[in-house]
Amino acid sequence: MSFSGNVKEELSQQWNTARHCQIAETAALISICGSVTINSFNQYGIKIHTENLAVARKVFTLIKKTFNIEADISIRRNIEKQSVSYSVIIRQHKDALRVLQATKLLEEHKGGFEEFHIVSPLVIQQPCCRRAFLRGAFLGAGSMSDPNKSYHFEIVCSSEKMAKQIQGLICGFSMDAKIVRRKKTYVVYLKEGSQIVDILNIIEAHVALMELENVRILKEMRNTVNRKVNCETANINKTVSAAVKQLEDITYLRDTIGFGKLSDGLEEIALARISHPDATLKELGELLSPPVGKSGVNHRLRKLSDLAEKVRQSKEDYYD
């Protein structure tokens, strides 16, 4: 099962004891992946569609616990796509009416359309209800990428109004949710690992949260190690390049003007560098008599490089 599937499996077993929270979660599921039907006798019915068995089981049980209604479940298999879809159906008019009135979705449906555009603010007044609503929204149309690959959390909405409402609820918990248009849908999403941890905490997917945190810790450790290795490698390369350049300059001076024309200090450091090409500045300084610090060694080597450059320049001027 995918990471996203694991999150939904966990959330399908998460229950609020407060009825107002159960109603908020039901409202989210109906508005996100549900539709209302009206027959020729002007009687209501509700159908909630999902391709996830755990979600279908949660919807069925939620309706039973919250409203004491026995819903029907319809299963459809697509042999070509090798997929299964589930529909939780409330067929009785009085039952559908009771659910729509409790979730404040009846007014929303009076226009005659099947898809809902927004949920009444009365249903999600309290923070606990907003948490339950977001949990229901994720169960109905949410997904998450595997954190080992990337950080991405999203809820797909059929209308821009619904997307903006969900975005507002998420941002109300101090997160920065974004909306993007994808074909005919609107996707509310989070990209930052820390914010996805927060949203999992809000919808009470605590097991998934711990798994995500473990992945984040391992990734941060790897990144820290890689940064240190890269930094050390860069420093080694820099040191080696500097040592090679120093050896080239010292060898050039030896072969052109000879060490006899150098001061005692410069000759001593030149001989030390030729004898110990792999030594660090600190190690070179300890070889001198008396010992010299890193800055002193660096200063002498720089003077040798400057002198070698002057000799090269004078040679070029001579041949010109």
Side-chain angles (χ1 to χ4, degrees), residues 85-96:
S85 61
Y86 308 88
S87 294
V88 180
I89 306 167
I90 302 175
R91 300 186 189 277
Q92 296 296 321
H93 171 71
K94 60 181 179 62
D95 292 337

Side-chain angles (χ1 to χ4, degrees), residues 72-90:
D72 295 329
I73 295 183
S74 171
I75 302 173
R76 178 174 294 180
R77 300 180 187 278
N78 189 318
I79 298 173
E80 290 182 6
K81 295 182 178 179
Q82 295 185 333
S83 63
V84 182
S85 61
Y86 308 88
S87 294
V88 180
I89 306 167
I90 302 175

Side-chain angles (χ1 to χ4, degrees), residues 139-180:
L139 281 168
S143 64
M144 269 190 69
S145 61
D146 185 340
N148 287 294
K149 298 176 181 177
S150 64
Y151 298 133
H152 184 81
F153 174 100
E154 70 175 37
I155 297 173
V156 181
C157 304
S158 58
S159 72
E160 187 177 11
K161 285 184 179 179
M162 177 61 75
K164 286 185 175 178
Q165 184 177 43
I166 290 174
Q167 180 192 33
L169 290 173
I170 294 174
C171 291
F173 287 101
S174 302
M175 285 173 282
D176 187 22
K178 306 288 186 184
I179 297 176
V180 65

Side-chain angles (χ1 to χ4, degrees), residues 65 74 89 182 185 216 219 229 267 274 284 290 303:
K65 281 191 172 185
S74 171
I89 306 167
R182 186 186 294 164
T185 62
R216 288 182 68 216
K219 278 188 174 180
V229 169
E267 182 179 2
I274 287 177
L284 283 176
K303 288 186 73 173

